[in-house]
Amino acid sequence: MRGKRWLFESVAVLVVATFGVNAAVPDARAATIADHTTLSTPAAKAKPSPKPKAAPKAESYQERQDRIALSTTPLFPTPATPWPGTAERTPGQSPKPHDEPETQCVSGEFATLGVIYESIVQSALPGLPPQVRDAVLAQHPRIKAEMERITVSTLALSEHPRTLGASDDDPSTKYRSPQSQAIVSGLLKIRDGKQNEAIPVANITLSQAVESAWLYFFLGVLAPARLVVETAPSVVDLRGAVIPELGFPSYSMLLSVGFAVFRMGVTQLYSTISESILDNCMARVTPEQKALAGKASEDVVYDIPIHPIIAGIADQLALADSETCTPIGDLTLARIVNRVSDSAQQQAPNAAAKRNIQAQTKQVLRHMKSVRIPHHLIPADPADWSTVGTMASYIGGAIPYVGGAPLDILIGLGHNLGEGADLAETVPLTELTVTKSLTAAYFAYHLSVHLFTEIGSALVEPIPVGDTLLISPFRIVGNALRLPLTYGLVTYHDVVRSMCLREDDTTGTGLGAEKDKRSPAPSSSTAPPSSTARSSSIRPSTPRRQTVGR
């Protein structure tokens, strides 16, 4: 029976590993079929392969705004009938021009919570019973005033890179996690001196709300749940087999695989919602309402001290652009060493110290140049894997011994082979990129923790405590050691792949991808006028935005 269990486990390991590697090397199977075909088919004259079509240029920031402005079906429409309680028109009376200001379709980047709230109320009122309608009308001014009174620190709001000016082909849209995205947007706000701004809830955009909700859900629910799921088998005895005759799979494996699928599903759901609200029309707004999107309060200012080191770092950074501002992750180690040396020389107290720094820099670079690294033997960064490779890593992590670091390394190397990389090729250490260096550190740490956990668990039997607890000390420590890797190094790597040095911006603006974002003014494109007035209040006599005493 024990032999059958190991047989099933071995088959599962081979299937998942092969699946992951073949996903990274999509042409491997085709090459094998071609070899068999040539044995039974006469050789034909080779036709020149057609040149691969160039990938279409990604839609720019302003192109997206112009496209959405031409939309006519917002997700949150304003009903054509007037609000109950407003001045009714007599039958057949035409609306006056000033009653229906021109509006523009906007995405979740400019649709604020205040606009969406009023749109929902307007749409719901006609179908409510009179008593409920009267209650809603009575509470609406108070709710509106509270939304304008309550403020949130701008640093507490996460910003999608596309709302900052990035296009789909810019690195910041690919290499991001909830925490790295919040760090990137926070650094840009600190650079621009906006760290003390207070944003009224009514001015928070739908995109900011979605990104911030995902950030806090990830930090408050998903990340702790992952730690609990990974630690539970090391505390509670979950070795019981679902199929006792085979001894496989265990409840521990089902728990790990089930949570991995849930985590991928939730992440995909968030990604779909996040991208959809930026690609489609969410509401029609007036120019005045559009200008309020993300606007800071004029009455409230927070006092948030920023450490000089963080402020100094932020002042040197911009949002990476695939064409005009090279990400820090793509810079070579030689460039980083020279830049650190230049910074040290500027702070040198005298000429002698400056010359000493220059001499030490030359010596370090000379040693680095003499060391050659087989850079393609460094597995690909998991952020560059295909969806299938990521799934294989998630689910394969539950397989004993092989799942985790060993399987991830195989998937990463398979990705390199699929890209046509020569594993024997070497480069001087000076030419190794920051991304390659951080990826090497990631896998070295990942494998070290894996070996520590597996070898330690094999040498030390789990400690039974009571009838249900079975403490595995090495696995508990191993799970704790993975935290700096998962939420530290990976987050830092995403940040350096999403940002660039302002001095590298070839446009001279020092803004990187942010240069593509125009001020929130009406688009130059011809947007169809609204057939419905976008009322921003219950009654015409109510001002668009009243000042609430604080």
Side-chain angles (χ1 to χ4, degrees), residues 221-236 238 255 259 479 483:
V221 178
L222 206 56
R226 178 181 177 181
L227 179 62
V228 170
V229 168
E230 292 178 349
T231 306
S234 306
V235 178
V236 182
L238 298 176
L255 177 65
F259 182 76
N479 289 330
L483 294 178

Side-chain angles (χ1 to χ4, degrees), residues 213-392:
W214 172 245
L215 169 67
Y216 296 119
F217 174 78
F218 181 87
L219 296 179
V221 178
L222 206 56
R226 178 181 177 181
L227 179 62
V228 170
V229 168
E230 292 178 349
T231 306
S234 306
V235 178
V236 182
D237 189 0
L238 298 176
R239 295 176 299 177
V242 179
I243 308 176
E245 293 79 8
L246 300 178
F248 180 82
S250 67
Y251 288 104
S252 173
M253 176 178 290
L254 289 183
L255 177 65
S256 300
V257 172
F259 182 76
V261 173
F262 169 77
R263 182 157 58 103
M264 288 193 68
V266 172
T267 303
Q268 185 61 41
L269 176 64
Y270 147 75
S271 179
T272 301
I273 295 174
S274 175
E275 299 299 329
S276 178
I277 65 175
L278 292 178
D279 283 328
N280 297 283
C281 175
M282 294 292 107
R284 298 194 70 92
V285 299
T286 63
E288 292 80 8
Q289 290 172 324
K290 186 177 180 182
L292 286 176
K295 184 178 180 181
S297 171
E298 298 176 356
D299 305 322
V300 179
V301 176
Y302 292 120
D303 182 15
I304 302 178
I306 303 297
H307 196 281
I309 294 179
I310 296 178
I313 292 174
D315 191 53
Q316 304 175 53
L317 300 175
L319 195 64
D321 187 285
S322 59
E323 296 179 353
T324 62
C325 202
T326 305
I328 297 174
D330 291 347
L331 302 181
T332 63
L333 294 184
R335 169 72 190 282
I336 300 301
V337 171
N338 283 321
R339 196 171 188 278
V340 172
S341 175
D342 293 341
S343 177
Q345 291 177 48
Q346 293 176 2
Q347 302 177 19
N350 51 55
K354 185 176 180 179
R355 288 193 299 270
N356 185 41
I357 294 173
Q358 293 174 344
Q360 292 295 328
T361 302
K362 291 180 181 179
Q363 183 178 0
V364 169
L365 291 175
R366 186 166 54 251
H367 285 305
M368 291 177 63
K369 196 170 183 179
S370 65
V371 177
R372 300 193 67 85
I373 305 294
H375 60 133
H376 290 311
L377 279 179
I378 300 174
D381 181 9
D384 293 321
W385 296 352
S386 65
T387 302
V388 177
T390 302
M391 289 179 61

Side-chain angles (χ1 to χ4, degrees), residues 528-540:
S530 170
S531 60
T532 304
R534 164 63 64 178
S535 172
S536 61
S537 58
I538 295 286
R539 296 172 175 82

